[in-house]
Amino acid sequence: MVRNERSVEGVLERIFRSAKATKTKGDVAKYIPELASVDPDRFAISVCLSDGRQLSAGDVSTPFSIQSVSKVFTLAIALGRRGESFWQRVGREPSTNAFNSLQELEVRQGIPSNPFVNAGAIVTTDTILAGSSPAEALAEILLFVQTAASDSGIRIDPSVAESEKLSGHKNWALAHVLAAYDNLAHSCELTLGTYFHHCAIAMTCEQLARSGRFLAGFDTGPQLVRASSVRLINALMLTCGHYNGSGEFAYRVGLPAKSGVGGAILAIVPGKASIATWAPGLDSNGNSLLGTAALEELSHAMGWSVFVRG
Ligand code: DON
């Protein structure tokens, strides 16, 4: 078993080669038309280590839509506001249904299971909108991501946001159910408009890996969130970050992580590494198929897991 951090590069190369050779890559997300045309053969992996090194393999400089990975950043911002009422509006339990399940929201009478299912993330966006216009809220979210990644060039792709605005019928339905249960302070249009735009943040794999350093506990200059919030976010990423595939992901990889339907995964090894993968093909739960396989191989090769001594 390889445990020496100097060998990360070799492991990444091996992972890249096996990803390229794999025939079963999963299906790209089609319910957002702009994402349906992404090349399923893309693959990238990037690792930021505690000593400041960043090691990568594959298509690491191609921007992609981070989609639900953005929910990690909006949760961090919402928790930073010390909003006492936040946890009265959103649960902290893993979901047993799909990430956009209307049934689950209805059964729970308008209280989403956790901040990472779509309904929970829509409520999170709604809390960030308190006292701000959508443009101001989006500027705050983008600045947070840019600061986390140490890169002021990160942008929102408006065509992806527009595409989801026109085709995201389930999200419109979820927002209306939230409003029906009095769990939305702003209009569905304002809240979803903001939500679609933060999901449409485009980043490269290297930028995404850097954006997770604050969750690994690295000192990267400005302190983005309190240590107590990092602890909560990592706990939720572990238990809810892959929706109803979170148990399987914890079993295989053993790390807090958040997936997005653009094919990204951000995974955290507390104190040791922030890892991003990008492989657009998804499994039946909407999580990246080859990204999960890559993280499984990397975590085993390096002995990285929150469940064993590293
Ligand atoms: O709201 C949606 O459906 C998308 N903007 C984000 C969903 C997503 O990324 C689910 N993750 N795997």
Side-chain angles (χ1 to χ4, degrees), residues 248-255 267 292-293 295-296 299-300 304-306:
E248 179 71 9
F249 188 90
Y251 175 85
R252 289 175 59 189
V253 181
L255 296 172
T292 304
L295 288 165
E296 183 175 21
S299 61
H300 282 268
W304 286 341
S305 161
V306 293

Side-chain angles (χ1 to χ4, degrees), residues 31-32 66-69 71 99-100 116 118 122 164 171 195-196 199-200 241 243 258-262 264 282 285-288:
Y31 73 98
I32 303 174
I66 69 166
Q67 291 298 321
S68 285
V69 183
K71 297 169 182 174
F99 63 82
N100 54 6
F116 292 147
N118 285 6
I122 292 166
E164 191 171 6
N171 282 331
Y195 169 81
F196 292 145
C199 286
Y243 313 108
K258 183 73 209 79
S259 64
V261 287
L282 308 177
N285 292 324
N287 302 315
S288 173

